[in-house]
Amino acid sequence: MKLDDITTVGMAGAGSMGAGIAQVAAMAGFRVNVVDVSEAVWSRAEKTIAKSLERIVKKGAMTEQEMKETLARISFSTDVSTLQDVRFMFEAVFEDINVKKELFAKLDAVCGDDTIYATNTSSIAITEMAALVKRPANFVGMHFFNPVPVMKLVEVIPALQTAEATKNLALEMAQKIGKTAITCKDTPGFVVNRLFVPYIIDAVRLLEEGVASAEDIDTAMKLGCNMPMGPLEFQDFAGVDIGYHVSNIFYDYMKEERYAPPGLLRNMIKAGYVGRKAGKGFYDYSEN
Ligand SMILES: NC(=O)c1ccc[n+]([C@@H]2O[C@H](COP(=O)([O-])OP(=O)(O)OC[C@H]3O[C@@H](n4cnc5c(N)ncnc54)[C@H](O)[C@@H]3O)[C@@H](O)[C@H]2O)c1
């Protein structure tokens, strides 16, 4: 199958990532059939996409008419059978292997033999997921970054079972929807998180060892390395519990001490200090 043969793409999941992927695919001219579990979820996604497009119009990068046409190319449903004619399927449902397994079983029952599945998982092995579907050769990882309309990178990750043609189609798809793709092996964290996670863990260790305060560690990385956010601020933003979970995945796979989650993270979770969403993490947000 060639990229030109694809006019409609499917999007399973309309959360933060799904809404973003649906938006960039529609901006590239694809019709996008989005499926999520309830109308309440997709109406939130619809609003997010509309607001994001309005910002693009305000910047002068899109006309009002183009915005309307882009929105009109996106349709929403709870019914997986609306995906039966789709030949390229993005997946961004919850990061839970059982949820993904159930979804792919439903997709296998309705999608055609040549449909490509591109998962956006951050932490589940692509090879493990490919083993769940009828046609593993058509399965590939396409890891986007949040917020999708802004972040330029996509990591394309072939599973052991992925056909070369599937990988190439994913690379072409990434380019068509305005992204720069890199290719990498199916290992925890791919490239970006493989480098970024140990950096975050080391920042927690510096704090644990009393080398510097949280504020000073963050200031050091913002002013010394031009990072937009310090590592501990980032951890609060993304969720201390998520950081702990990801660190454990790395450690389980690599069995290297440097990936082991610091004790401070475990204790913070026990105390309920999981970051901004809880009002407290490395910083106190109770005033906000
Ligand atoms: N948030 C990030 O920064 C980020 C970055 C890269 C990759 N990812 C990956 O993207 C995926 C989605 O993450 P997210 O942050 O968008 O999550 P999210 O919780 O915002 O959205 C997930 C969506 O999936 C929907 N969903 C659950 N079960 C479903 C089903 N059976 N059918 C259809 N929809 C279903 C939920 O209703 C929800 O709207 C995960 O695999 C995650 O690892 C997330």
Side-chain angles (χ1 to χ4, degrees):
M1 180 172 37
K2 294 198 192 88
L3 191 65
D4 288 346
D5 299 333
I6 302 168
T7 51
T8 304
V9 297
M11 181 70 248
S16 341
M17 300 305 286
I21 298 167
Q23 178 185 326
V24 294
M27 284 169 68
F30 291 106
R31 300 197 68 80
V32 189
N33 296 358
V34 185
V35 166
D36 205 306
V37 293
S38 76
E39 191 171 343
V41 178
W42 83 57
S43 62
R44 198 175 54 216
E46 221 171 357
K47 278 189 202 129
T48 307
I49 295 170
K51 270 195 197 149
S52 170
L53 291 175
E54 275 162 22
R55 279 196 293 273
I56 297 172
V57 170
K58 269 195 195 133
K59 278 192 211 152
M62 180 184 262
T63 64
E64 286 270 350
Q65 183 58 26
E66 283 165 341
M67 177 178 83
K68 280 189 194 145
E69 287 167 6
T70 303
L71 284 170
R73 279 195 286 275
I74 309 175
S75 58
F76 296 88
S77 177
T78 51
D79 184 1
V80 173
S81 69
T82 55
L83 301 168
Q84 63 179 350
D85 296 325
V86 155
R87 300 175 80 189
F88 198 103
M89 184 69 226
F90 292 102
E91 176 275 310
V93 301
F94 292 143
E95 188 71 337
D96 176 326
I97 187 75
N98 293 318
V99 175
K100 296 200 192 264
K101 187 176 177 179
E102 204 177 298
L103 171 82
F104 283 118
K106 286 185 191 160
L107 291 175
D108 271 350
V110 297
C111 292
D113 281 355
D114 60 354
T115 303
I116 304 294
Y117 295 153
T119 178
N120 187 42
T121 183
S122 299
S123 64
I124 304 170
I126 311 299
T127 300
E128 182 184 350
M129 287 177 63
L132 300 174
V133 304
K134 253 198 228 164
R135 292 166 290 270
N138 293 1
F139 198 95
V140 67
M142 282 183 80
H143 188 231
F144 290 80
F145 292 80
N146 197 9
V148 178
V150 176
M151 302 297 278
K152 283 278 170 213
L153 184 71
V154 176
E155 292 172 314
V156 170
I157 312 106
L160 282 183
Q161 308 93 318
T162 306
E164 187 71 9
T166 304
K167 182 191 83 180
N168 290 337
L169 199 64
L171 289 169
E172 284 175 40
M173 175 59 82
Q175 192 183 18
K176 173 98 193 250
I177 61 180
K179 302 298 172 196
T180 299
I182 61 142
T183 314
C184 61
K185 277 191 187 169
D186 184 20
T187 55
F190 314 131
V191 170
V192 171
N193 286 332
R194 175 82 171 264
L195 293 173
F196 194 61
V197 169
Y199 155 69
I200 299 282
I201 295 173
D202 278 344
V204 178
R205 290 211 178 96
L206 285 192
L207 182 70
E208 225 174 10
E209 289 167 22
V211 172
S213 67
E215 286 84 353
D216 283 354
I217 292 169
D218 283 338
T219 302
M221 294 314 291
K222 284 189 285 190
L223 302 188
C225 290
N226 229 3
M227 293 286 197
M229 214 185 244
L232 301 171
E233 278 175 296
F234 176 81
Q235 187 73 109
D236 272 359
F237 172 75
V240 172
D241 49 341
I242 308 280
Y244 180 75
H245 173 70
V246 172
S247 174
N248 263 319
I249 291 173
F250 274 60
Y251 183 58
D252 280 350
Y253 187 89
M254 316 276 195
K255 302 283 185 285
E256 283 179 42
E257 272 310 308
R258 68 191 176 114
Y259 296 110
L264 177 59
L265 282 190
R266 193 171 41 242
N267 281 343
M268 286 174 72
I269 293 167
K270 283 190 181 140
Y273 301 162
V274 290
R276 273 175 185 267
K277 60 188 171 191
K280 192 168 167 64
F282 293 100
Y283 296 92
D284 192 335
Y285 304 92
S286 52
E287 297 276 297
N288 311 330

